[in-house]
Amino acid sequence: MYTQERTAMANLVVGGPVAVNSYDNAIVAALLENRPVMLVHAFNGGYLRPAELKEDSHDKGVKLATALDPATKEAQGHLWHITPAGFFGQRPLYFIESAAGQVSPKPSGAGGVDAGRGDDGAPKPQRRRITVHQEAPKSTADTVQLGLPDKVGDKWRGKNGAPEDTQLWVVTVTPWGGITFVPITHPDAILGFKDHAVAADVEARVTYNWGGDFTGTVINTFYPRLPNEWSVPYHHVFT
């Protein structure tokens, strides 16, 4: 049973053969229950949000914001779904999908095809996903976009013809209760920030992972926060 209290969950299996030793139920909710969470950065407590909240925006990126304004909260621009998307070998893969601008598909007619249905039988909503540029992280230009698979630009589509190739991430759960995102198209890189600076309104990038500690500007660790905990400081994870 899910509870808001942080109870010790030893060796919990998340999405496959990835063991989690965590005191934070938000990680469990994000990876197992697919509940929307805030992705709060370990370094300054800022949260990841789309640069553009509108559902028809597919060529803009994501950024780190440090103030939760009413417009962002109203549009659910502070919430993300970490959606299971199969396996890479034995490692589970995920999409990072924004709750902002999601579209509930129209019911399909007789014999129609839809995007799939959830456990309750309802059509799954279309959500914009974080997509990685084919040439990331070599390029200094934008290396991530937020859009639907059939809407993003050519360089954000998979080289093998499957748009999803550039939208799949390995989610690494850190020993200190955070998560780090690694794109399968660039396994030596992580979801980082422009110029490696973790500051307000800095744009997200895919950057080489050169090592460092979890509060540094190279290994970028996020702590999932549940929606009703959006005002809880990130350092409460340690309590």
Side-chain angles (χ1 to χ4, degrees):
M1 176 178 169
Y2 181 82
T3 122
Q4 268 306 127
E5 298 176 2
R6 290 178 173 79
T7 54
M9 292 166 285
N11 202 31
L12 178 71
V13 177
V14 173
V18 178
V20 176
N21 295 285
S22 173
Y23 288 86
D24 195 344
N25 285 336
I27 292 181
V28 181
L31 299 181
L32 277 184
E33 303 175 14
N34 195 27
R35 294 183 57 173
V37 292
M38 292 183 74
L39 295 177
V40 180
H41 198 274
F43 186 70
N44 67 353
Y47 66 96
L48 202 65
R49 60 150 283 177
E52 179 57 65
L53 299 175
K54 296 184 296 185
E55 65 186 45
D56 56 355
S57 174
H58 303 285
D59 60 350
K60 298 292 188 275
V62 295
K63 65 179 183 178
L64 195 71
T66 51
L68 183 54
D69 58 278
T72 301
K73 189 176 181 183
E74 178 71 21
Q76 294 192 311
H78 61 305
L79 298 181
W80 298 86
H81 292 268
I82 305 175
T83 306
F87 289 84
F88 180 69
Q90 290 187 320
R91 297 298 301 272
L93 299 172
Y94 297 88
F95 297 124
I96 311 173
E97 300 181 322
S98 175
Q102 69 181 21
V103 180
S104 296
K106 300 176 182 178
S108 59
V113 178
D114 56 34
R117 294 179 178 270
D119 293 337
D120 58 359
K124 293 181 181 178
Q126 289 185 305
R127 300 191 186 112
R128 295 178 298 161
R129 301 167 178 169
I130 297 183
T131 304
V132 177
H133 195 280
Q134 288 181 4
E135 299 174 359
K138 300 175 184 177
S139 172
T140 56
D142 293 350
T143 59
V144 298
Q145 282 189 359
L146 191 70
L148 296 175
D150 58 341
K151 300 288 187 181
V152 294
D154 290 339
K155 283 293 185 178
W156 280 266
R157 299 174 188 268
K159 293 182 178 179
N160 297 323
E164 291 80 6
D165 288 352
T166 54
Q167 298 180 327
L168 292 171
W169 300 79
V170 174
V171 178
T172 300
V173 182
T174 64
W176 38 82
I179 51 179
T180 300
F181 299 102
V182 179
I184 66 163
T185 50
H186 308 287
D188 57 345
I190 55 172
L191 183 63
F193 296 98
K194 185 178 181 181
D195 301 324
H196 314 296
V198 184
D201 294 322
V202 68
E203 297 172 43
R205 295 284 188 269
V206 173
T207 181
Y208 287 109
N209 182 12
W210 289 302
D213 65 80
F214 75 96
T215 57
T217 56
V218 178
I219 291 183
N220 288 287
T221 298
F222 290 93
Y223 293 117
R225 298 260 49 82
L226 293 168
N228 60 341
E229 293 182 317
W230 65 268
S231 61
V232 175
Y234 64 99
H235 57 261
H236 280 202
V237 171
F238 298 116
T239 61

